[in-house]
Amino acid sequence: MNTHKLRLENLSKLESQTRNQQRAIDFYGQEYSLIMSGSAGTGKTFLAMALALEDVLDKETYYDKLVIVRSIV
């Protein structure tokens, strides 16, 4: 069985597609709490998960897991 460990250095660089995505990345980097809203398909969930995953995989942060919660709508 071949298992691969996910590592920070193997992640692709996160690049924003819009000005608002870049603003969210910048604010997150300044340790602001973010609330993102907008139309479906604008990258909110992807962006949030990618940023959180980078923190979880970074050995210099104290985060060790990513918990995903979705509302029942």
Side-chain angles (χ1 to χ4, degrees), residues 45-71:
T45 302
F46 178 82
L47 191 61
M49 294 209 22
L51 291 168
L53 185 59
E54 285 180 1
D55 276 350
V56 168
L57 294 176
D58 186 348
K59 299 287 187 216
E60 298 195 13
T61 68
Y62 56 90
Y63 303 110
D64 62 356
K65 62 182 165 183
L66 175 59
V67 178
I68 302 167
V69 179
R70 181 166 170 88
S71 63

Side-chain angles (χ1 to χ4, degrees), residues 5-22:
K5 258 198 146 164
L6 189 57
R7 292 192 167 92
L8 181 61
E9 60 270 9
N10 295 338
L11 293 181
S12 297
K13 183 180 182 308
L14 182 61
E15 295 182 23
S16 62
Q17 300 298 307
T18 67
R19 189 179 82 211
N20 282 337
Q21 286 180 357
Q22 187 59 51

